[in-house]
Amino acid sequence: MSAPYPASVLVIGLGTMGRGIVRALRGTVTDLRSFDEAPVTDEPGARRYNDLADAARGVDIIIEAIVEDLSAKRTLLRYLEGIVPEAIIASTTSTFLPSGLATSPAQRRRLLLAHFFNPADVVPLVEVVPAESTDRDAVETVIRMLRATGKSVVRLQREVDGLVANRLQAALIREAMHLRARGVASAEDIDRVLTTGLGPRWSAAGCFEVMDQGGLDVWARVLRRLVPDLASGHECADEVDELVLRGQLGVKSGRGFASHDSDAAERYRHAVEGAFGARRDDS
Ligand SMILES: NC(=O)C1=CN([C@@H]2O[C@H](COP(=O)(O)OP(=O)(O)OC[C@H]3O[C@@H](n4cnc5c(N)ncnc54)[C@H](O)[C@@H]3O)[C@@H](O)[C@H]2O)C=CC1
Ligand SMILES: O=C(O)[C@@H](O)C(=O)[C@H](O)[C@@H](O)CO
């Protein structure tokens, strides 16, 4: 039997993603709770607990949004298994697969991914990824809760590293960095191609629809000629590693590919909000 709706939901980890997830769920999930091991600022809308066992008592769904560290996640999951063995656990990890996270055969039936996008209260998409062992009821309960909050849920048919969105982003980022390294265009101009061309068009029609609209006969010729010339190596990861070693982490350190002032995160949030305000509603 699936848990009745509205479920009670506990968000663990109140960082970049956890805060956005609380904002996304508040107003719809009536029993919304939060917990962070550090004394971080509260995110209004969820009842904040200082003790994890209290926070988890009787909860239906736990959204795990702690630091991206496998050992920290597995330590937390092992603890949760001891205190709330019946709760469904949805992890928002960008890296790990559900089959690699679960810490016991029982947990394997109740653990799945619910991969949100930053800012989680603004971007409608959530990729839901069960492991082969995850119970259908657990998956349906999480999807029902997400849809009730207005999320656009894409359920993957099987686990794959990077899921769909990060694989697509990584493929595009690799080619963008290749073009920049070859001096074809600056990072700023490549971003302009995306923000004034491909990005807005993709918000109206995805890549398969764009191909259908353009004509598959034309696309067949474009792909045949271009694909062999596209970047296929690992250089882009090495280049980003070098920036990180130099302390260029992006907005959080004030410099990444470009320099950023202290309002950069807020401006980004408003810009993304504006973009989603104008998007077609197909959730
Ligand atoms: N930052 C992003 O753009 C995205 C991140 N994600 C995923 O979301 C998860 C969280 O990422 P962020 O929010 O960026 O991380 P973050 O570093 O901003 O926040 C993590 C929070 O978890 C807390 N925490 C760490 N260990 C804990 C524990 N054992 N118990 C309770 N709280 C604990 C920390 O105090 C911190 O407040 C990661 O798995 C990441 O891969 C997914 C999509 C996008
Ligand atoms: O772009 C996003 O918000 C997500 O697809 C991610 O998972 C990112 O890779 C994130 O982890 C880093 O910003």
Side-chain angles (χ1 to χ4, degrees):
M1 268 292 284
S2 350
Y5 190 78
S8 59
V9 179
L10 165 64
V11 178
I12 305 185
L14 282 179
T16 307
M17 294 311 290
R19 289 177 181 289
I21 292 168
V22 165
R23 285 188 223 125
L25 305 190
R26 71 185 172 202
T28 307
V29 173
T30 42
D31 181 9
L32 182 58
R33 313 176 191 183
S34 68
F35 173 80
D36 195 296
E37 67 170 12
V40 295
T41 325
D42 284 0
E43 184 56 43
R47 188 154 22 122
R48 171 79 182 269
Y49 288 77
N50 294 319
D51 180 85
L52 181 51
D54 286 346
R57 190 163 297 123
V59 84
D60 297 311
I61 300 172
I62 293 174
I63 299 185
E64 177 278 302
I66 71 164
V67 61
E68 190 70 327
D69 177 287
L70 185 56
S71 134
K73 285 189 192 287
R74 286 179 62 90
T75 302
L76 171 68
L77 292 170
R78 213 168 289 117
Y79 179 71
L80 291 172
E81 193 57 7
I83 57 171
V84 266
E86 67 292 344
I88 296 168
I89 299 176
S91 170
T92 193
T93 175
S94 306
T95 315
F96 308 115
L97 294 175
S99 54
L101 278 178
T103 57
S104 72
Q107 197 170 60
R108 227 160 258 140
R109 294 201 296 274
R110 287 173 294 95
L111 189 141
L112 62 150
L113 306 193
H115 183 237
F116 288 77
F117 291 79
N118 182 35
D121 53 323
V122 176
V123 183
L125 177 62
V126 182
E127 293 173 296
V128 167
V129 193
E132 253 181 54
S133 52
T134 315
D135 284 346
R136 224 174 66 187
D137 280 355
V139 182
E140 284 167 4
T141 300
V142 170
I143 291 180
R144 206 164 62 240
M145 185 271 294
L146 291 170
R147 290 210 170 118
T149 68
K151 288 298 183 193
S152 165
V153 175
V154 171
R155 185 200 154 145
L156 271 58
Q157 300 307 317
R158 65 182 185 85
E159 298 180 294
V160 61
D161 274 333
L163 315 186
V164 171
N166 276 346
R167 290 182 82 92
L168 295 178
Q169 290 202 99
L172 188 128
I173 287 168
R174 173 161 69 179
E175 184 58 27
M177 292 193 58
H178 178 63
L179 291 169
R180 176 176 169 270
R182 281 169 65 193
V184 174
S186 65
E188 198 185 356
D189 280 345
I190 294 169
D191 271 358
R192 206 191 313 277
V193 169
L194 293 173
T195 56
T196 63
L198 296 180
R201 188 171 72 178
W202 276 331
S203 74
C207 69
F208 292 107
E209 195 178 335
V210 164
M211 284 199 291
D212 270 354
Q213 294 285 349
L216 295 186
D217 50 334
V218 181
W219 272 101
R221 280 186 225 119
V222 171
L223 293 174
R224 176 78 51 211
R225 187 179 158 78
L226 265 190
V227 168
D229 193 46
L230 296 178
S232 56
H234 301 175
E235 297 79 5
C236 68
D238 300 335
E239 284 173 47
V240 177
D241 271 345
E242 279 169 31
L243 295 177
V244 171
L245 283 174
R246 290 209 294 264
Q248 291 177 229
L249 307 184
V251 166
K252 66 176 106 172
S253 72
R255 184 154 181 80
F257 289 103
S259 297
H260 302 281
D261 61 27
S262 56
D263 295 331
E266 202 45 36
R267 274 201 308 279
Y268 170 72
R269 190 191 155 74
H270 284 307
V272 178
E273 261 170 2
F276 280 101
R279 97 187 220 287
R280 91 178 174 184
D281 193 357
D282 59 359
S283 56

